[in-house]
Amino acid sequence: MVKAVAAGVPSLAPFFNENQGLGRDAQVRVQTAHGGLQQGDTPGLYGGSKQPTICDVARLKEFLTDPANERKAQAWATALSLTTAEIPDYLGRLTPVLLRHDTLVKNHDYKKGKAVPFSALLQTGIAILVDERGLPAVKCSCGNPLRPFEGDTTRIKVEFDDRNEEWKGYEKSSVVAVRPAPREVEQLALVDVHEPDRGVNRPVGTTGEDDTTFDTRERRAVPDLAGTTFGQASRRLVGTGLAAAFAGGGLPPDNARVTASDPPAGTELRFGEYVTLSVAGGATSGGSSSGTSTPPRSGSGSDPGSSGSTRDPSGTTPSTSSPSSSSTSSPSGSTPPPSSSGSGSSGPSSPGPTSGPPSAGPPSSAAPPSSVPPSSDPPPSSAKPPSPKDPTSSSPPPPTTSSPPETTGSPPTSAPVTSSAPPPETGRPATSAPSTGGPTASTTA
């Protein structure tokens, strides 16, 4: 059971009074995504706005560090596997964005001095803070902590009520859950929710003051990905400004060999459009994202925008299919949008090194150059400490039931569950065991 949370509707048990102005949701037209899981660095996954006040991070930090709110800060930190001393540094690494898809998360109410988790579907347009791997971390308007959705995206039952009525554009098959990017990103490539022709490169840990812009209508060629690993191909697509598509919500192992892409190499697409990858061997099963919950570290389809006057070049509506031995269909194209805005200060020729639009740099630009090796090599083991609560990735999760999640008041202390599957070749967390043997099959990634 998943509770619907509509944009602009106050929470009944928030961590912080929503009248304090911590954040403001927007009216945004829902976008169609390819598959139930999306990586946090997917180009165009999130939206931006010229309005810098969608999330007041400074005010949130001030509230959480006020000794008068110590009990509430302790519950907030516990939900995110933090200590209260780590809150300021953690908030400094978060980035405000707007949801462009109806998004599944583990939300938290504040009841009787504790953070009470529950599965939630956040409506498109809700303002959130995301971490350096693109994972939802905080719901801005009420300050509620967020964690990755742990259920099966294909087996949810959304509960609407008289306060959160079913919204226009809701489609159960189009909801997404976000899994962490394989590596920490330096900036997020966003789409302006009011001017979809305008892309925004937002450095991680900033609130909009250092944004640079680019033209989302600029065409970019699909790179030749045949023979690369799935992990390498995904990073190259992100660096190009294109999204990797995968069917059924599952993912192949990072070391699976890519045999073809649809559309093929050389095809020119707009920013954020999907490329479906076929790999040797079967795809992983299920649509679960339960193996992707990564706690924060203590260190370091064409759809109009809300105004209805423009068309979103990255919001194409690709066909959705489940993993099978047959080839998946290519994402559907759409008519290029009108020239309502030009490129911004950075221009299409000067994108960011990570999830932004294409650049002249190498494919390994999806990670900070100071700490991450080239994309063809696995990241160092020190890139991320072990998760204190990392569900196993070698078996599918139990089906989502109607019973609420267990209430916890303290961070998990048990050791990570040992997975029987070998670790993936790159830093991307695996969501299921790699396939063995079998004929060549198509998988969207």
Side-chain angles (χ1 to χ4, degrees), residues 243-273:
F246 44 90
L251 284 174
D254 275 356
N255 60 359
R257 288 290 167 182
V258 174
T259 58
S261 66
D262 185 7
T267 305
E268 293 189 345
L269 303 174
R270 292 188 301 276
F271 172 80
E273 288 196 290

Side-chain angles (χ1 to χ4, degrees), residues 290-295 386-393 412 414-418 429-430:
S290 62
T292 65
S293 177
T294 306
S387 166
K389 185 178 179 182
D390 188 9
T392 179
S393 61
S414 59
V417 180
T418 303

Side-chain angles (χ1 to χ4, degrees), residues 24 36 110 133 200 219 235 260-261 279 301 398 422:
R24 184 173 65 250
Y110 181 73
R133 292 204 174 193
V200 177
R219 297 279 175 161
R235 290 192 294 274
S261 66
V279 301

Side-chain angles (χ1 to χ4, degrees), residues 179-258:
R179 69 191 304 269
R183 303 175 181 182
E184 293 182 5
V185 297
E186 290 182 343
Q187 66 181 11
L188 297 170
L190 314 175
V191 172
D192 191 313
V193 296
H194 302 298
E195 300 177 25
D197 292 342
R198 177 179 178 266
V200 177
N201 283 322
R202 178 165 296 169
V204 169
T206 66
T207 59
E209 64 276 9
D210 297 321
D211 287 355
T212 55
T213 60
F214 60 92
D215 192 341
T216 61
R217 298 166 298 176
E218 182 191 10
R219 297 279 175 161
R220 52 216 71 213
V222 176
D224 185 1
L225 303 172
T228 64
T229 65
F230 177 79
Q232 291 169 343
S234 298
R235 290 192 294 274
R236 288 190 64 185
L237 287 173
V238 168
T240 307
L242 300 174
F246 44 90
L251 284 174
D254 275 356
N255 60 359
R257 288 290 167 182
V258 174

Side-chain angles (χ1 to χ4, degrees), residues 148-167:
F149 179 71
E150 293 183 348
D152 187 332
T153 61
T154 65
R155 302 180 65 181
I156 62 171
K157 181 178 180 181
V158 180
E159 179 184 13
F160 294 91
D161 56 37
D162 55 357
R163 299 177 67 254
N164 297 277
E165 297 179 350
E166 183 171 327
W167 47 80

Side-chain angles (χ1 to χ4, degrees), residues 3-11 18 23-30 98-103 121-128 139-141 160-161 163-168 306:
K3 293 182 180 180
V5 179
V9 177
S11 171
E18 301 203 24
R24 184 173 65 250
D25 299 335
Q27 294 297 317
V28 179
R29 195 75 170 269
V30 66
L98 291 164
L99 293 179
R100 298 183 72 230
H101 308 277
D102 293 341
T103 303
L121 178 67
L122 304 185
Q123 184 186 6
T124 299
I126 286 180
I128 65 170
K139 185 174 182 291
C140 291
S141 65
F160 294 91
D161 56 37
R163 299 177 67 254
N164 297 277
E165 297 179 350
E166 183 171 327
W167 47 80
K168 183 179 180 181
S306 59

Side-chain angles (χ1 to χ4, degrees), residues 262-361:
D262 185 7
T267 305
E268 293 189 345
L269 303 174
R270 292 188 301 276
F271 172 80
E273 288 196 290
Y274 289 90
V275 177
T276 302
L277 301 179
S278 298
V279 301
T284 59
S285 60
S288 168
S289 60
S290 62
T292 65
S293 177
T294 306
R297 297 187 302 120
S298 59
S300 59
S302 184
D303 294 283
S306 59
S307 64
S309 61
T310 58
R311 293 177 64 86
D312 188 343
S314 64
T316 56
T317 309
S319 60
T320 303
S321 58
S322 60
S324 65
S325 59
S326 60
S327 178
T328 56
S329 59
S330 62
S332 60
S334 59
T335 304
S339 302
S340 62
S341 66
S343 58
S345 59
S346 66
S349 62
S350 57
T354 56
S355 60
S359 66

